[in-house]
Amino acid sequence: MKAAGNQKLQLKAAKSKVGCLSLSIITFVVLLLAFCVLLFFRYNTWFGNIEEAPYTTPPFIDRITLTPGENFMSERTVSWRFDTIPHESRVEYFRVDTLNTDTLLLNSAVIHEKIKSRAGDAYYYHARLPKLEEGAAYKYRIVSDKETTKWIDFKMPSSPDTLRFIYMGDVQDKQGFVSDSLFDLLRKKEVNYDFIAFGGDQIERPMDSYWTIWYESLREWAGQVPFVTVPGNHEYLKGITYRLDSRWIAQHNYPENGPEGFKGKSYYIDFPLMRMIILDSNTIHWPHAILKHYNWLEKTLKDARQPWVVVMFHHGVYTVRDGRMHPFMRYLFLPLLEKYKTDLVLQGHDHAYSRITTKISGDTITPVYVISNASPKFYRNGFNPIHDRLGSGISLYQKIQLTQDELTYKSLFFDGEVYDDLMIKRTREGEKKIIDNARNQAEVFNFDGFGDNPKGIKKKDAYLQAVKERKANRPEN
Ligand SMILES: [Fe+2]
């Protein structure tokens, strides 16, 4: 009897095991099928690249770009593109000295390399200009065996005590008309800045035609004003091996002080008042890149001796576009930014506006996180109350000024109207106090890209309701 009972129990246990196994197999097959369906519909979004149209690099010097070296006060790099065959070249430059007509003409050695893209190739050149003097004006020109450019002017910062710069989030203008007119407004209005920073997605896709649009809208700026840029996802080729456009490093030649394997993409620049750390967040997906960047960022933040630290990357730690999230930036890199007391974090990607201050035990402190957009392309924002200040359907730029004890931050429309206004003050005890001058200013929600179909109309109604609720809870009321 007992043996028969045991047999029954064993049979029951075996049946249950088979049942569990079947359930696991069914779950696995269902998940696999769901993944295949998702892959089928999302393949192009995740892995597809628009084909790049064949192009021929012109046989003259173009795309002249000025960037800073590691030491902003004394180093500049000039990069340019020129032809599909190599040319003997050099950069001539001199300090403009109105008191001395016998100017010293300096020469800088040039490095060149052939860069291949998907649809063409070109020779890219660059020259480092070291030991430049504070407050001095310089002229330079590129001399080659075939062509000599006109003299181009640039100025070194006049004082180590004040630093002014402009920031722009995504520019990403397919046709270039909007960015050209916005840049033109800035060129006419803003004269007091030491450099311009761009938070990635300067162009629509990694294609030569879009780089042409980019350089056409920059006009003379590119060779005269130092640019500090970070790659965005639109400068990357999608695929299993996610690759930065081959032109990107060659046309900027940033300092090679980034993490091993990512030099020229992630880097830092030192100013007397600020360390600016530029991190290519596009690569923060795979363990190797995460580990390298994590260790490098920690060391670079820890070693900063300047009174202010600003970090720039493309993907926001707290996203503002509805439904978006970058878990590694949010849960791995944000704690580092907080731990080492970063002051300002400049981001893009979401094509809307957000400014967040850090709140701990009732205090409003740094880091301040900013997401901004200067593109004609807009996304719908979310309404998480963590955002101190939001905006949608608007193009803005930022003016940031630093002295030893104050960082002033303004977000402006390109016609000059102020949209956000913040000051970070260092107290005698070394604490940083935030003064929010835009607390009582109304927010702007102009996003209207919902479409006319019933689904779009429903989404629009929900969005307008969320705007209403946000306004009801704001101090401007
Ligand atoms: Fe973008």
Side-chain angles (χ1 to χ4, degrees):
M1 281 293 281
K2 207 177 169 186
N6 277 347
Q7 237 176 4
K8 262 187 187 174
L9 278 174
Q10 277 172 359
L11 198 67
K12 210 175 165 186
K15 271 186 179 172
S16 152
K17 262 189 191 170
V18 171
C20 278
L21 192 68
S22 314
L23 193 68
S24 304
I25 292 170
I26 292 168
T27 312
F28 176 74
V29 171
V30 168
L31 285 175
L32 189 69
L33 279 174
F35 177 72
C36 290
V37 172
L38 193 66
L39 189 66
F40 178 77
F41 286 108
R42 302 286 295 168
Y43 187 85
N44 255 337
T45 314
W46 291 343
F47 303 116
N49 289 297
I50 299 167
E51 216 172 296
E52 182 172 6
Y55 62 92
T56 308
T57 303
F60 53 81
I61 294 165
D62 70 354
R63 300 186 182 178
I64 301 171
T65 310
L66 188 70
T67 52
E70 182 178 309
N71 183 339
F72 188 84
M73 298 302 276
S74 65
E75 298 165 354
R76 294 289 179 268
T77 299
V78 182
S79 308
W80 66 96
R81 180 178 80 153
F82 182 21
D83 215 344
T84 49
I85 52 165
H87 290 275
E88 279 292 316
S89 307
R90 67 179 188 274
V91 170
E92 289 180 352
Y93 63 108
F94 66 93
R95 183 185 165 157
V96 180
D97 188 341
T98 47
L99 298 174
N100 184 3
T101 48
D102 188 17
T103 47
L104 180 65
L105 191 64
L106 299 156
N107 279 298
S108 188
V110 167
I111 294 168
H112 70 262
E113 59 178 327
K114 190 173 189 171
I115 298 291
K116 274 182 179 291
S117 72
R118 288 175 295 161
D121 52 48
Y123 272 88
Y124 281 79
Y125 299 74
H126 71 276
R128 309 261 185 216
L129 314 184
K131 296 179 185 170
L132 302 170
E133 289 169 53
E134 193 179 301
Y138 286 87
K139 280 183 185 288
Y140 72 91
R141 68 178 180 182
I142 299 157
V143 181
S144 80
D145 53 13
K146 192 176 173 203
E147 182 197 349
T148 298
T149 64
K150 62 175 186 169
W151 289 103
I152 301 168
D153 297 276
F154 72 92
K155 247 193 117 192
M156 297 304 285
S158 51
S159 158
D161 303 327
T162 309
L163 172 68
R164 299 180 187 94
F165 70 96
I166 287 172
Y167 172 69
M168 277 181 258
D170 304 39
V171 173
Q172 210 184 322
D173 182 1
K174 267 184 180 178
Q175 276 149 3
F177 305 131
V178 176
S179 51
D180 184 57
S181 58
L182 295 183
F183 290 168
D184 211 32
L185 282 173
L186 273 194
R187 274 188 286 261
K188 284 173 187 149
K189 192 188 348 264
E190 298 290 354
V191 284
N192 248 339
Y193 53 86
D194 296 304
F195 70 98
I196 301 177
F198 289 100
D201 281 8
Q202 282 99 267
I203 57 165
E204 172 62 18
R205 295 276 167 214
M207 291 155 68
D208 214 70
S209 54
Y210 289 120
W211 283 120
T212 300
I213 288 172
W214 170 247
Y215 277 98
E216 278 174 3
S217 61
L218 291 175
R219 299 190 215 166
E220 69 274 20
W221 252 0
Q224 294 176 342
V225 180
F227 283 169
V228 176
T229 60
V230 68
N233 53 306
H234 279 252
E235 279 91 49
Y236 266 79
L237 281 163
K238 292 186 258 182
I240 305 281
T241 54
Y242 199 49
R243 272 184 301 126
L244 179 60
D245 183 15
S246 53
R247 289 159 281 227
W248 201 91
I249 290 180
Q251 66 195 18
H252 296 110
N253 295 293
Y254 286 116
E256 303 240 317
N257 53 17
E260 210 47 59
F262 302 92
K263 290 187 190 296
K265 303 177 197 173
S266 295
Y267 58 98
Y268 67 88
I269 295 173
D270 280 336
F271 307 73
L273 289 172
M274 169 178 87
R275 168 165 283 188
M276 186 164 188
I277 304 170
I278 289 85
L279 186 144
D280 179 8
S281 57
N282 296 285
T283 56
I284 308 297
H285 290 294
W286 305 108
H288 171 72
I290 293 171
L291 192 70
K292 287 277 176 191
H293 275 93
Y294 188 91
N295 293 337
W296 172 78
L297 180 62
E298 181 160 40
K299 188 179 180 328
T300 313
L301 286 169
K302 210 170 170 178
D303 291 349
R305 293 289 169 266
Q306 294 88 336
W308 302 98
V309 175
V310 174
V311 180
M312 179 170 83
F313 44 79
H314 186 61
H315 298 81
V317 285
Y318 295 107
T319 55
V320 62
R321 186 179 175 185
D322 214 8
R324 251 187 187 169
M325 158 73 128
H326 194 307
F328 298 119
M329 295 310 290
R330 170 73 181 81
Y331 294 108
L332 266 179
F333 286 80
L334 178 138
L336 266 190
L337 301 170
E338 286 182 343
K339 183 178 172 187
Y340 292 100
K341 297 191 167 50
T342 305
D343 297 297
L344 183 63
V345 182
L346 300 170
Q347 311 149 106
H349 194 47
D350 287 346
H351 293 242
Y353 183 73
S354 156
R355 184 255 294 165
I356 297 173
T357 49
T358 305
K359 287 108 186 157
I360 291 178
S361 324
D363 284 338
T364 305
I365 57 166
T366 56
V368 174
Y369 301 93
V370 171
I371 292 177
S372 189
N373 176 54
S375 164
K377 185 178 172 186
F378 304 112
Y379 295 150
R380 178 180 53 171
N381 62 289
F383 290 91
N384 188 329
I386 197 169
H387 302 281
D388 297 334
R389 193 154 178 77
L390 283 171
S392 74
I394 50 178
S395 294
L396 300 167
Y397 72 99
Q398 284 68 42
K399 254 167 83 170
I400 296 144
Q401 177 172 314
L402 299 101
T403 60
Q404 187 71 24
D405 296 323
E406 280 181 8
L407 184 155
T408 56
Y409 165 92
K410 282 187 203 297
S411 239
L412 300 113
F413 291 97
F414 282 77
D415 66 4
E417 192 190 331
V418 177
Y419 188 68
D420 197 2
D421 189 343
L422 200 77
M423 180 181 277
I424 310 173
K425 265 182 179 275
R426 264 154 63 95
T427 62
R428 273 190 196 166
E429 296 74 37
E431 296 291 310
K432 300 215 169 128
K433 202 179 151 199
I434 294 182
I435 301 157
D436 184 347
N437 295 315
R439 267 183 75 76
N440 301 320
Q441 208 179 314
E443 293 174 322
V444 176
F445 295 101
N446 283 346
F447 177 78
D448 196 17
F450 298 98
D452 296 332
N453 52 29
K455 210 175 157 190
I457 292 167
K458 213 172 151 191
K459 276 186 181 173
K460 185 174 179 171
D461 288 345
Y463 184 75
L464 293 177
Q465 181 58 31
V467 169
K468 220 172 173 180
E469 283 164 23
R470 167 98 181 165
K471 281 192 173 170
N473 294 317
R474 295 275 302 162
E476 74 243 29
N477 287 295

